[in-house]
Amino acid sequence: MANESTARPYVPIVNFASLSLQNVKREDADEASVQELADQILEAFSTVGFVYLKNTGIQTTEVTNIMQTSRRFFELPREVKRRYAEKDGAGAGYREIGAQTFEADKPEDLRESFDLHLDTPDSVYPEAEVPELMPLTRQFTDRCKELALRVLYLIAVGLKLEDRCFFDKNHFEMESKSFTGIRLLYYPEIKNPSDVKDKQTRCGEHSDWGSITLLFQDDVGGLEIKNVEGKFVEATPVEGTVLVNIADLLQRWTSDRLISAIHRVVRTSRETDSGFPRQSIAFFLNPDNKAVVSPLDGSHKYQSITAEEYIRHKIQTTYI
């Protein structure tokens, strides 16, 4: 994998050790360390929209285990994978190549995915073919949830909100479900370049929809972020880190102070030359469905909207 010295400086790398899941309870963390970490994260989110976090407490071996296990599912015959297909455009399950496009004037994305929400029933999991997938992903999802809530807490500290638990109260504390969950992503090898359509990419230009996203990448690369000049910059994988980005609803909550940056996934020379598939794992933290998102500064920059209304609209406009 790439190391920190080769990572492009556009995306900051922040040491998360003072709030690591491994040995620190949030309420026991040193106040000065919390404030320093909050300031660093807020700076990254308000200028780039992305940040690499190291020493989060989530181990590389955890990520590797899930990638290896999910790859066994993605390498199953197409007809087997279709038994676990997502059915209503908003639920959990498998999506094959061609299921989604973010850019209406371009072909569908060249990727497969398997979505698993927090309340996904056992029947969605491929228990017969890959029995390890359910316990691994459920445990990992719980870890991601705790890390994501710590990031939201730091954002509240950085924003100097009177109620540091404001975001906690809009995630998992209401009597409503949410679209929070994990997405296993697989970009299969393209054996014949002529099969790629004109202007077709691995994943089209888009911003994420909810609060924040945690992304765990392999070392193949391909993720690019649009900077303030409108140019795409490579987000080179950094070993042992989690890439975290702001999503649309948090940008609305903060009246654009925090940036939900446009990003995409393209084919890289490493992928093309080696024939390697690309894998990643995304954890999407979304507000509770009934959470009302309104600018925290009292402005009218955005109209109030529930998280469910916003995300369902996005689903309807991107899935084929």
Side-chain angles (χ1 to χ4, degrees):
M1 287 190 175
N3 58 41
E4 291 179 26
S5 63
T6 61
R8 291 178 184 269
Y10 180 69
V11 180
I13 302 173
V14 171
N15 189 347
F16 204 78
S18 58
L19 270 181
S20 168
L21 300 182
Q22 192 166 2
N23 52 22
V24 181
K25 292 183 178 180
R26 190 172 83 176
E27 58 271 21
D28 295 337
D30 174 71
E31 176 63 24
S33 298
V34 167
Q35 187 63 60
E36 181 181 6
L37 185 53
D39 291 343
Q40 292 176 0
I41 286 178
L42 202 72
E43 173 68 16
F45 286 153
S46 59
T47 56
V48 178
F50 281 74
V51 66
Y52 283 111
L53 299 181
K54 65 180 183 179
N55 298 320
T56 62
I58 293 180
Q59 304 300 316
T60 300
T61 52
E62 297 177 68
V63 179
T64 300
N65 286 342
I66 292 185
M67 284 191 178
Q68 290 176 343
T69 303
S70 63
R71 183 166 176 170
R72 285 168 49 201
F73 171 80
F74 287 117
E75 291 178 341
L76 291 170
R78 186 179 185 185
E79 62 271 16
V80 176
K81 292 185 287 189
R82 282 182 162 180
R83 297 174 193 164
Y84 304 97
E86 188 278 330
K87 295 180 173 60
D88 64 5
Y94 169 70
R95 292 185 175 94
E96 62 186 357
I97 289 178
Q100 188 174 33
T101 181
F102 287 107
E103 300 176 83
D105 61 339
K106 293 182 180 180
E108 65 278 3
D109 294 342
L110 282 169
R111 62 190 174 109
E112 302 175 48
S113 64
F114 200 111
D115 282 33
L116 298 164
H117 297 168
L118 293 179
D119 58 352
T120 295
D122 293 356
S123 60
V124 174
Y125 289 87
E127 281 287 270
E129 296 82 7
V130 192
E132 303 93 338
L133 190 62
M134 181 165 66
L136 276 176
T137 54
R138 285 183 169 172
Q139 181 181 27
F140 189 72
T141 298
D142 287 341
R143 301 265 285 157
C144 289
K145 173 183 171 182
E146 177 58 30
L147 176 59
L149 287 174
R150 292 187 182 206
V151 173
L152 285 186
Y153 175 76
L154 289 167
I155 290 173
V157 172
L159 292 172
K160 296 180 170 49
L161 297 186
E162 184 176 342
D163 182 3
R164 290 185 172 186
C165 295
F166 171 82
F167 293 119
D168 293 60
K169 294 173 181 176
N170 285 276
H171 298 78
F172 311 117
E173 292 193 9
M174 294 184 175
E175 293 183 359
S176 66
K177 296 182 179 180
S178 77
F179 290 99
T180 293
I182 196 171
R183 176 172 295 167
L184 308 173
L185 289 151
Y186 186 72
Y187 304 79
E189 174 189 357
I190 297 173
K191 298 180 179 179
N192 187 354
S194 63
D195 291 338
V196 180
K197 301 174 184 176
D198 183 43
K199 298 182 179 180
Q200 192 171 30
T201 62
R202 286 303 203 177
C203 183
E205 298 177 22
H206 68 286
S207 59
D208 293 344
W209 304 336
S211 296
I212 61 173
T213 302
L214 311 182
L215 183 69
F216 304 84
Q217 305 184 76
D218 63 11
D219 60 357
V220 173
L223 177 65
E224 296 181 338
I225 303 165
K226 183 178 280 189
N227 65 18
V228 293
E229 287 82 30
K231 298 179 180 180
F232 279 96
V233 179
E234 183 180 356
T236 307
V238 179
E239 186 174 4
T241 66
V242 183
L243 184 60
V244 185
N245 65 278
I246 297 296
D248 294 351
L249 290 176
L250 199 52
Q251 176 171 311
R252 292 172 72 103
W253 250 322
T254 61
S255 299
D256 295 344
R257 181 173 177 183
L258 305 186
I259 302 170
S260 180
I262 299 294
H263 49 285
R264 68 186 182 187
V265 180
V266 300
R267 295 181 68 201
T268 66
S269 58
R270 173 171 169 75
E271 176 190 352
T272 304
D273 296 342
S274 67
F276 289 152
R278 180 183 188 273
Q279 283 187 266
S280 62
I281 304 168
F283 175 80
F284 299 106
L285 180 67
N286 297 303
D288 293 335
N289 285 346
K290 293 180 181 178
V292 178
V293 179
S294 303
L296 288 167
D297 61 3
S299 71
H300 299 285
K301 192 160 192 175
Y302 292 104
Q303 291 185 341
S304 297
I305 192 169
T306 67
E308 182 174 21
E309 289 173 324
Y310 186 84
I311 293 173
R312 285 199 181 278
H313 171 72
K314 289 292 189 178
I315 290 170
Q316 292 166 3
T317 56
T318 63
Y319 284 104
I320 299 172

